[in-house]
Amino acid sequence: MLTHAEENYLKVIYHLSQTEDEGISTNSIAEKIDTKASSVTDMIKKLKDKNLITHEKYKGVFITNEGKHTAKMIIRKHRLWEVFLVDKLNFNWDEVHDVAEELEHIKSEKLINALDAFLGFPKEDPHGDPIPNAKGEIAFREKELLSETEINKEYICVGVKDTSSAFLQYLDRQKIALGSIFKVLEHESFDHSVTVFFQDNELTLSKVVAQNLFVKKI
């Protein structure tokens, strides 16, 4: 049994491992957790003692297969709860993250599997992130950032990289959601903004927005 803090650290280490080929530094973990490096060092020892990670001096932290599976089960719970909150309790997609952060620590596997079945075995959460199944398997979905798209091609919005309330509320004001369809008209070389044809109008999206919207070519 892991404490809430141990689960939070393990989830962060798992996410970092998806983008870093080499060992993960204590500073990277501390930055994500928003804590001191000394606190990370103490937690690394605890997770290492439970065979969830390994730690090599000068090389960093590596997550074990057991650690990956455990982290994916935490992520599974988080994303299923987000679906439940949006689909069944009518939360907005910008309201669910913090609540799901609390609910993800519920230990009952029976409850989570029942929740999965109740929701119809959803493949993605409200932000377009894939939901691991009960075995920890994650379905691959083709996607790219709007900032990397081709001109004169149509794309559908399939996810967001930034799940902060501020960004999601901005998308709501622009009426952009999962399933929105854009035709890319221009990539501006000066400020890296992207102009798209959306809902019968031209819309210019900033570099920040374009680098945080996942799309798929239609």
Side-chain angles (χ1 to χ4, degrees):
M1 297 289 285
L2 301 181
T3 65
H4 290 191
E6 288 169 342
E7 289 188 343
N8 289 337
Y9 269 86
L10 186 62
K11 190 170 67 167
V12 164
I13 292 169
Y14 171 79
H15 284 308
L16 288 171
S17 75
Q18 301 303 292
T19 56
E20 296 188 22
D21 295 330
E22 300 180 353
I24 302 161
S25 71
T26 53
N27 286 336
S28 294
I29 299 170
E31 184 178 346
K32 286 288 185 181
I33 296 285
D34 193 21
T35 189
K36 298 177 181 177
S38 58
S39 299
V40 175
T41 301
D42 292 339
M43 184 58 72
I44 285 173
K45 184 179 185 308
K46 293 177 182 178
L47 295 176
K48 184 178 179 181
D49 289 344
K50 295 184 177 182
N51 299 314
L52 299 172
I53 63 168
T54 61
H55 182 229
E56 299 179 37
K57 196 172 184 180
Y58 306 122
K59 290 187 177 181
V61 171
F62 299 84
I63 190 166
T64 65
N65 287 334
E66 183 179 351
K68 289 177 184 177
H69 180 77
T70 303
K72 284 189 282 190
M73 290 300 99
I74 300 166
I75 292 166
R76 167 176 164 80
K77 289 185 284 185
H78 182 103
R79 293 177 180 172
L80 283 172
W81 283 120
E82 286 194 336
V83 174
F84 175 77
L85 290 167
V86 169
D87 288 1
K88 304 302 179 182
L89 298 185
N90 299 317
F91 277 63
N92 293 326
W93 67 338
D94 62 290
E95 299 175 317
V96 296
H97 180 75
D98 289 344
V99 181
E101 283 281 307
E102 299 179 36
L103 293 170
E104 73 183 26
H105 299 297
I106 293 173
K107 306 298 183 185
S108 174
E109 184 177 338
K110 181 178 180 180
L111 171 62
I112 298 306
N113 289 338
L115 176 65
D116 193 13
F118 174 69
L119 295 171
F121 304 103
K123 302 298 183 186
E124 295 157 357
D125 72 9
H127 309 114
D129 293 318
I131 299 173
N133 66 19
K135 295 180 180 179
E137 298 165 339
I138 301 177
F140 171 78
R141 184 173 190 183
E142 183 183 343
K143 63 183 180 180
E144 59 189 300
L145 293 171
L146 182 62
S147 58
E148 300 168 352
T149 52
E150 300 176 49
I151 294 174
N152 294 323
K153 300 291 184 181
E154 283 197 336
Y155 295 85
I156 184 169
C157 180
V158 297
V160 290
K161 186 175 181 181
D162 181 356
T163 59
S164 68
S165 294
F167 182 60
L168 298 177
Q169 289 167 8
Y170 168 82
L171 295 181
D172 283 341
R173 291 194 296 273
Q174 301 299 324
K175 303 188 184 308
I176 296 172
L178 301 190
S180 293
I181 294 176
F182 313 100
K183 182 176 182 180
V184 177
L185 301 178
E186 182 181 11
H187 285 269
E188 175 56 59
S189 59
F190 173 68
D191 63 358
H192 303 287
S193 61
V194 180
T195 300
V196 299
F197 189 71
F198 173 60
Q199 293 187 342
D200 299 324
N201 290 293
E202 286 191 14
L203 175 65
T204 299
L205 299 170
S206 70
K207 174 184 176 181
V208 172
V209 174
Q211 290 181 337
N212 280 286
L213 272 183
F214 285 119
V215 297
K216 179 182 178 182
K217 187 185 294 183
I218 300 174

